[in-house]
Amino acid sequence: MGLLLKLAWRNVMRNRRRSAITTGAVAFALMLTIAMRGMQRGTYELNIRNVARLYTGYLQVQAPGYQENPTLRNSFPYTREVRRVLDAEPLVTGHAPRVYADGLLSYRDNSFGVMILGLDPQAENEVTDLLKRIRQGRAPAEGQEYEILVGQKLLQNLQAQLGDSLVLLVQGYDGSLRDAFCRIVGVLRTGSEPMDRATVIMPIRQAQELLGLEDRVSTVVVSLDRLEDLEPARRRLEPALRPPKLRVLSWEEVMPSFKQMIQFDNAQGILFLAILIVAVGFGILNSVIMSVTERFREFGIVLALGMPQHKLVAVVALEILFVLLFGVAAGNVLGGVVNWYLVHNPIEFTGTLGAYTEEFGWLPILTSSLRARVFLHSTLAIVLATFGASLYPLLKVAKLEPLKGIRYT
């Protein structure tokens, strides 16, 4: 084996230009694959964290059936026991109760259907950044009158101003119609068109009072430190919340359309990478087959002198392996540099491209990822492509006859 390794290494170093070109092709393909997968994974994670921090949280505690039929009837009591379980879970960094209801908001001759969101401002600030998106005024507070925060688009549609009083009509928990005079104390701009067009936020206690919910809530939003903590936290919370018969849902279940959007984009990226890897595979095949065929005369002489055919194949395979190892090492280093740069210097889209990206619910920011699986999966794909491209040249060497090799021109 030692002799075969020495022969393979000498062959690699004998034609350094050819070896460098093949190594460069492998390294360049791997760098592209790592950079593209890194940008995909990094951008997905950034958007998931943004959605979780902006609105949904990483996990949500709900009553059975609420996700399928989000009505007040499917609310649940926010008891001391539920709070104790959430407080006791070390992976949970914060939790905030919410009440959701539909209503009709009227100002002068303008009326619009709205989604009422009752929340606890102090707890909400520990879980999401929703109230940090206030562009005018302040967060609503409990008091003698109902104070509300409205979306920027809704304020424009109502043709109202900050400080105006409006009438809010809702259907309570018992089915009765209820109304209240509310004063606009703040304007919210989330960047999400549906939210900015139809959201009314008020303190959760006033929402519960208006809707006749007493201590019932629609959901409890849960925050975590890291995306990786999602499944472990969920596995521990679900059995602990089983006596009240509550469910723990991930952001994927709360926002299935957002998950599908990521899956679709991911499938497109993988298809593009597959095409790239196949193209690179043909390039490697061309380089290896040229390297082999130009030495057929040399191989024929070696075989005629008595070298076993399988050892000749092993030498050529080791040559390919040396080139592959150098290419993989260089590709990982180059890909790591690209990903590291994008992680620390994300690219922000502006102008039309930025607006177009935001319209589809994505942050106009391109970043990357340094996760090990990005490097591992990309390396595995290029190694398999290289091995696949090397099979035909190795087969030609395995079938080479000494006389045909010597006469080959």
Side-chain angles (χ1 to χ4, degrees):
M1 190 63 184
L3 178 62
L4 297 181
L5 283 170
K6 190 180 291 184
L7 281 173
W9 176 250
R10 285 182 176 177
N11 284 336
V12 169
M13 298 305 292
R14 190 174 59 179
N15 194 334
R16 297 184 182 183
R17 185 176 179 183
R18 182 189 64 211
S19 301
I21 290 173
T22 310
T23 303
V26 173
F28 184 70
L30 184 54
M31 181 201 70
L32 274 183
T33 308
I34 290 173
M36 292 182 66
R37 284 305 288 166
M39 284 189 278
Q40 275 192 297
R41 303 295 306 185
T43 304
Y44 295 155
E45 290 177 11
L46 176 70
N47 280 278
I48 291 168
R49 285 196 297 271
N50 176 64
V51 168
R53 283 297 306 176
L54 174 63
Y55 190 61
T56 63
Y58 289 96
L59 295 171
Q60 286 196 9
V61 179
Q62 298 180 358
Y66 181 81
Q67 182 64 22
E68 296 77 19
N69 185 21
T71 66
L72 295 179
R73 285 288 170 188
N74 284 329
S75 58
F76 64 95
Y78 187 45
T79 61
R80 186 176 299 175
E81 176 61 18
V82 174
R83 290 194 291 271
R84 188 194 63 76
V85 170
L86 292 171
D87 287 335
E89 172 52 52
L91 294 177
V92 172
T93 56
H95 52 91
R98 287 180 180 176
V99 166
Y100 293 101
D102 295 324
L104 185 71
L105 191 64
S106 299
Y107 179 70
R108 296 181 179 171
D109 296 333
N110 299 319
S111 297
F112 292 94
V114 295
M115 180 195 74
I116 301 165
L117 170 56
L119 49 77
D120 179 345
Q122 188 175 355
E124 194 72 28
N125 281 332
E126 295 177 1
V127 177
T128 71
D129 296 330
L130 183 59
L131 296 180
K132 294 178 183 173
R133 302 300 178 100
I134 296 174
R135 293 295 176 260
Q136 286 181 272
R138 58 175 174 78
E142 294 179 31
Q144 295 295 321
E145 62 177 347
Y146 287 98
E147 294 185 345
I148 59 172
L149 188 65
V150 299
Q152 190 177 45
K153 189 69 177 176
L154 176 60
L155 187 76
Q156 293 170 358
N157 291 340
L158 286 166
Q159 298 179 0
Q161 302 290 329
L162 201 66
D164 285 341
S165 292
L166 307 91
V167 177
L168 182 61
L169 180 66
V170 299
Q171 185 174 30
Y173 180 71
D174 58 2
S176 62
L177 290 177
R178 302 164 182 233
D179 58 52
F181 283 99
C182 305
R183 188 166 65 88
I184 302 173
V185 296
V187 181
L188 190 76
R189 184 175 182 274
T190 63
S192 166
E193 172 72 14
M195 283 194 68
D196 292 344
R197 190 180 62 242
T199 301
V200 170
I201 295 176
M202 63 195 319
I204 189 168
R205 289 190 184 281
Q206 291 189 331
Q208 289 171 325
E209 177 188 316
L210 178 63
L211 297 164
L213 282 173
E214 298 183 352
D215 66 340
R216 303 179 74 86
V217 298
S218 302
T219 182
V220 179
V221 182
V222 177
S223 66
L224 307 169
D225 251 346
R226 303 179 308 161
L227 197 57
E228 295 77 19
D229 294 337
L230 192 146
E231 284 305 322
R234 178 178 173 167
R235 282 197 297 271
R236 291 209 285 258
L237 285 175
E238 274 187 329
L241 292 168
R242 195 61 53 79
K245 296 181 179 177
L246 299 178
R247 297 172 64 194
V248 180
L249 281 73
S250 68
W251 65 269
E252 297 173 322
E253 294 164 298
V254 175
M255 296 188 69
S257 58
F258 186 66
K259 180 188 175 186
Q260 287 169 1
M261 192 163 58
I262 288 178
Q263 287 176 327
F264 179 70
D265 189 82
N266 190 41
Q268 283 183 312
I270 290 174
L271 180 62
F272 183 80
L273 281 175
I275 294 172
L276 172 70
I277 289 170
V278 169
V280 170
F282 276 107
I284 294 170
L285 169 65
N286 183 55
S287 178
V288 174
I289 205 165
M290 284 181 65
S291 163
V292 169
T293 52
E294 73 179 14
R295 290 188 290 158
F296 268 2
R297 184 180 172 80
E298 170 190 330
F299 291 163
I301 294 172
V302 171
L303 290 171
L305 291 174
M307 184 175 189
Q309 194 105 20
H310 69 276
K311 288 194 175 182
L312 181 60
V313 173
V315 169
V316 176
L318 287 171
E319 289 176 32
I320 296 170
L321 184 61
F322 279 132
V323 168
L324 180 63
L325 288 175
F326 284 121
V328 164
N332 273 286
V333 171
L334 292 172
V337 170
V338 173
N339 287 11
W340 180 89
Y341 180 81
L342 287 173
V343 166
H344 292 87
N345 302 280
I347 299 170
E348 185 169 356
F349 302 133
T350 57
T352 306
L353 182 58
Y356 183 77
T357 308
E358 283 185 311
E359 190 177 330
F360 282 88
W362 292 83
L363 284 174
I365 296 173
L366 180 66
T367 184
S368 191
S369 171
L370 290 170
R371 294 194 182 282
R373 61 183 174 183
V374 170
F375 294 84
L376 187 63
H377 293 170
S378 301
T379 301
L380 190 60
I382 292 298
V383 167
L384 289 176
T386 305
F387 277 137
S390 305
L391 287 178
Y392 179 65
L394 289 176
L395 191 62
K396 284 185 76 71
V397 174
K399 290 184 176 179
L400 182 66
E401 296 175 10
L403 195 56
K404 286 185 178 179
I406 293 171
R407 290 179 175 176
Y408 188 84
T409 56

